[in-house]
Amino acid sequence: MSKRFTVMVIPEAGEKVRRLQIHSRASAFAVACCLLFVGLFAFLLYSRLNLEFDQAELERLRVENSQQRLVLQRLAVDFDSLHEQMIMLADNEARVRQLASFEDSSQTVPVAIGGIPAVDRVSAVDEIQQRISQLQLAIDMRRQSQEDVRNLLNDQVSLSRATPKGWPTKGWITSYFGMRQIPQGTGKRMHKGIDIAANTGTPIFATADGIVARVEYSAGYGKTVILDHGYGYRTLFGHNSKNLVKSGQRIRRGDKIAEVGNTGRSTGPHVHYEVQLNSIPIDPRHTL
Ligand SMILES: [Zn+2]
């Protein structure tokens, strides 16, 4: 025998109380229907809310996407400008290398880093990042390359300043470099420099930057100044009437270092001017 429930409906006043008898199966069915209905309602509500949220998110992403596209386009333009600047830099460097007579194709650094990536593609960001990395690498290589050129130019400038050049005094050559007849007697002897005749007291100038190696008096050259210019170069000025520098003093090309004289074994006022390269005398006429 199935269970039954009795539902009593009691009105407010006077009327008859109604009784409703419900079978337990029917009540279970009703409860199930109610639950189903509530569940369905909750699901629909959830779906609706979810949809609204998705649409808002979609809109936000759309705005973000269009902003990112703008940023990407600007990046591409910036990249283009950087690329052009790199080409200009490379051009300038090539010219400097040519001027410095340093052109060596094996040492030139390539600038090619590809063109501008297409901003429409999904992979544009990756491409731009990759290009930027390549550009960074190219810049680093270019920097190193320019450092080399700078060092080389510095070396060249130093070498140029250290290389004897020009006349040490105003005068005229009375004796040349090379083997010459010994005045008193027979045979020949090496003349290691040139003799430039000038009046006593005429200034003698350094012909290159350097340091005063020695200031001395010798029987042969009389009052003498010897300058060391580095890079293997030395110059000697002999027979001076007066030496005006001290040993160890730094000297620039054109500095007055002594005055023409007739000291030592000399037959008239003149400068015995000698240029040595790695301790071997060379013809100073090639440096005048
Ligand atoms: Zn001489």
Side-chain angles (χ1 to χ4, degrees):
M1 193 180 155
S2 63
K3 288 180 183 171
R4 275 194 284 189
F5 295 96
T6 303
V7 176
M8 290 174 74
V9 178
I10 305 167
E12 280 205 357
E15 285 178 41
K16 194 180 167 188
V17 172
R18 289 184 187 173
R19 289 163 190 266
L20 209 62
Q21 283 190 340
I22 304 166
H23 287 278
S24 62
R25 273 189 196 157
S27 70
F29 179 72
V31 166
C33 279
C34 277
L35 282 177
L36 193 69
F37 179 74
V38 167
L40 198 66
F41 180 75
F43 174 73
L44 285 175
L45 191 68
Y46 172 77
S47 295
R48 171 79 190 157
L49 286 175
N50 223 13
L51 189 69
E52 276 176 17
F53 178 77
D54 280 355
Q55 274 176 345
E57 180 70 5
L58 193 66
E59 189 52 35
R60 194 183 66 76
L61 286 174
R62 257 190 211 132
V63 170
E64 202 175 284
N65 190 31
S66 79
Q67 281 171 348
Q68 279 179 351
R69 277 172 64 85
L70 277 176
V71 169
L72 215 56
Q73 275 166 349
R74 270 201 297 266
L75 258 178
V77 171
D78 286 352
F79 181 83
D80 188 22
S81 145
L82 272 179
H83 187 240
E84 275 172 16
Q85 284 179 38
M86 274 297 289
I87 290 172
M88 268 168 56
L89 267 178
D91 251 23
N92 283 346
E93 195 194 309
R95 246 173 275 148
V96 170
R97 278 173 181 268
Q98 261 178 352
L99 283 175
S101 311
F102 187 49
E103 199 39 66
D104 178 358
S105 57
S106 70
Q107 293 200 30
T108 50
V109 179
V111 218
I113 38 175
I116 311 303
V119 287
D120 289 338
R121 278 184 275 161
V122 181
S123 60
V125 175
D126 287 346
E127 274 191 54
I128 288 182
Q129 270 173 352
Q130 204 183 342
R131 295 267 189 271
I132 285 172
S133 302
Q134 285 175 343
L135 188 63
Q136 189 65 52
L137 191 70
I139 286 171
D140 287 348
M141 287 169 78
R142 179 74 43 210
R143 189 181 292 131
Q144 183 56 51
S145 168
Q146 293 199 340
E147 185 73 9
D148 291 347
V149 173
R150 199 167 66 92
N151 289 340
L152 178 98
L153 285 178
N154 278 343
D155 286 353
Q156 283 187 346
V157 167
S158 305
L159 176 63
S160 161
R161 284 186 184 148
T163 307
K165 194 174 186 317
W167 290 72
T169 192
K170 274 186 187 168
W172 57 97
I173 299 175
T174 51
S175 183
Y176 292 98
F177 173 86
M179 300 303 286
R180 71 174 180 184
Q181 202 73 37
I182 299 168
Q184 290 93 25
T186 54
K188 286 184 172 183
R189 200 169 145 194
M190 178 70 185
H191 187 223
K192 295 176 184 172
I194 54 172
D195 294 339
I196 302 169
N199 291 328
T200 299
T202 307
I204 300 172
F205 303 103
T207 51
D209 290 4
I211 287 172
V212 179
R214 284 213 305 273
V215 179
E216 61 184 17
Y217 185 94
S218 74
Y221 291 139
K223 287 185 181 175
T224 308
V225 172
I226 300 171
L227 302 182
D228 192 335
H229 306 285
Y231 298 92
Y233 282 112
R234 276 184 162 223
T235 49
L236 181 149
F237 309 80
H239 308 299
N240 310 334
S241 61
K242 212 187 267 181
N243 290 336
L244 304 170
V245 289
K246 285 178 184 163
S247 184
Q249 192 178 327
R250 286 195 79 84
I251 294 292
R252 309 279 287 183
R253 175 182 286 147
D255 284 354
K256 187 176 168 184
I257 53 169
E259 287 177 3
V260 175
N262 195 25
T263 54
R265 264 196 300 277
S266 172
T267 52
H270 76 281
V271 190
H272 170 84
Y273 176 49
E274 213 171 296
V275 177
Q276 296 173 5
L277 180 57
N278 299 321
S279 305
I280 297 165
I282 59 170
D283 190 348
R285 266 197 307 161
H286 298 144
T287 71
L288 296 179

